[in-house]
Amino acid sequence: MLFWILVAVLTAAVAVILLYPLLRGAKAAEDSRAGEAAVYRDQLRELDRDLAGALITPEEADYARAEIGRRLIAVSAGEPETTPKSARHHRVTEAFVLLILPVLGLCLYLTMGRPDLPSQPLEARLENPGNDVAVLIAKAERHLAANPDDGKGWDVLAPIYFRTMRVNDAQVAYRNAIRLLGPSPIRLDGLAETLMAVSDGVVTEEARQALEQSLTLEPDNPRARFYVALSMEQAGRAEEARRAFEALAQQSPADAPWLPLVNEHIAKNGGAAAQPTAPGGPTSEDVAASEDMSSGDRQQMIRGMVESLDAKLSAEPNNFEGWMRLVRSYAVLNDKDRAASALKRGLAAFPPTGEHGRQLLALARELGISTEGLTQ
């Protein structure tokens, strides 16, 4: 009921606002006619004075009095040619504002709105946020305000803050996640990117330190390697930056989405775009030697090197970086069955409950490899 009362009040307020110019215009017209009538009456009195002073003849006075009287009557009664038309125009406009516009708005609301939807307080929206990102964030913030040592909560909220451009909040969240859960490549890279966003894309000293720590945990981390190379470029060390970008390009998958950007920086620092290779596959020397091979021979060479890595991991499974490379390599070769098999064997060495296992699962999801039944 309160809703409809508010609708009625708002409708009346809008109608008054729309009608005010019309009513004001009519009042202005009335004031104008009253002024004109006063002028004509003054002219009649002036005419009588001129006649009394013998300045004009009686015939001239009668003619002038008749003309002034006609005009005075026209002003007092309203011009017959314009007044009815103007009045009709105002009546139609007023009817539209007072009747048609509210009815039209009500019909649109009943058709497109949800008048049957009950009001939902913030508490209920927090319990069932659906896909409302703002409500999800509010729910997480309320939880963390009551449980500030929930590292997983900070870990979930940090990238959401970053994606919504709340970089200062993201920085705090990443620091809390690292403090409570320990450093990981994903958290350290996220903190570095947040620090860079705060500094308008500059790889600060603190960001570089976070990236280097990330590389000690995952040496083949392409994101951290890219930003470290970028820090060299920004520091004016073009030769070192070029070599770092070239090494990243040589060890990246052939379809890696970051390769075009890496090649741009290679060219920017005086080099030529490098040819990518499968991770864990051939070295730059192998690539150079394979340039004269047919595409089939080249593919066979790369597959042989990936299978060699597979054999080494079967003998020495405690090599987390090797499993990451192997899963990615089979995915690049479009051999999803072997990629899934490599993932399963890697998770046997690094269970999903651990940090390395979670990274293997995250990589599999990124590459489109099924993780069903492997998360426990």
Side-chain angles (χ1 to χ4, degrees), residues 7-231:
V7 168
V9 171
L10 290 173
T11 302
V14 171
V16 170
I17 292 172
L18 293 176
L19 286 173
Y20 179 72
L22 299 176
L23 299 175
R24 185 179 180 185
K27 182 64 169 58
E30 291 176 4
D31 293 343
S32 176
R33 288 194 295 270
E36 290 184 26
V39 171
Y40 293 140
R41 291 189 184 96
D42 287 341
Q43 289 179 351
L44 287 173
R45 287 191 289 269
E46 183 69 23
L47 184 63
D48 289 338
R49 287 194 295 270
D50 290 344
L51 180 61
L55 297 176
I56 59 175
T57 65
E59 292 79 7
E60 291 175 337
D62 291 341
Y63 177 80
R65 187 177 290 108
E67 180 63 23
I68 295 172
R70 186 188 68 78
R71 294 181 182 180
L72 180 59
I73 291 171
V75 169
S76 300
E79 288 291 344
E81 295 83 2
T82 60
T83 300
K85 181 179 179 181
S86 176
R88 285 196 301 272
H89 173 73
H90 285 309
R91 283 195 293 272
V92 171
T93 305
E94 291 168 3
F96 177 79
V97 172
L98 290 175
L99 298 175
I100 300 176
L101 190 60
V103 170
L104 180 62
L106 180 61
C107 291
L108 286 174
Y109 175 71
L110 293 175
T111 303
M112 304 178 65
R114 292 287 305 277
D116 60 325
L117 188 66
S119 61
Q120 192 175 30
L122 178 62
E123 184 71 23
R125 294 202 304 272
L126 291 177
E127 291 299 326
N128 299 285
N131 294 324
D132 192 330
V133 176
V135 176
L136 287 169
I137 292 176
K139 184 176 182 179
E141 289 174 336
R142 191 180 66 168
H143 169 77
L144 289 170
N147 303 276
D149 291 332
D150 181 4
K152 291 184 178 179
W154 290 112
D155 203 28
V156 170
L157 192 56
I160 297 176
Y161 275 148
F162 185 77
R163 286 195 295 271
T164 55
M165 297 309 296
R166 294 174 58 177
V167 290
N168 290 321
D169 292 331
Q171 184 180 157
V172 172
Y174 274 119
R175 292 186 191 279
N176 284 333
I178 292 171
R179 174 176 58 85
L180 295 168
L181 300 179
S184 73
I186 294 176
R187 296 183 195 114
L188 291 167
D189 292 351
L191 176 60
E193 287 186 327
T194 302
L195 293 170
M196 291 166 58
V198 172
S199 61
D200 295 326
V202 176
V203 184
T204 63
E205 178 63 22
E206 185 180 6
R208 187 183 61 79
Q209 291 175 0
L211 293 166
E212 289 178 348
Q213 185 180 2
S214 174
L215 287 173
T216 63
L217 300 175
E218 187 183 347
D220 291 329
N221 180 351
R223 181 162 59 164
R225 292 179 64 184
F226 175 85
Y227 287 131
V228 169
L230 182 63
S231 71

Side-chain angles (χ1 to χ4, degrees), residues 313 317-320 322-324 326-327 338-365 369-376:
L313 290 172
N318 293 323
N319 181 351
F320 169 69
W323 287 115
M324 292 284 285
L326 184 63
V327 172
R338 290 195 179 185
S341 174
L343 173 65
K344 185 176 181 179
R345 287 181 289 139
L347 290 173
F350 298 95
T353 55
E355 179 62 30
H356 286 160
R358 287 196 292 271
Q359 291 185 43
L360 278 167
L361 288 170
L363 174 65
R365 295 187 187 100
I369 300 170
S370 174
T371 60
E372 185 176 357
L374 301 177
T375 55
Q376 299 298 326

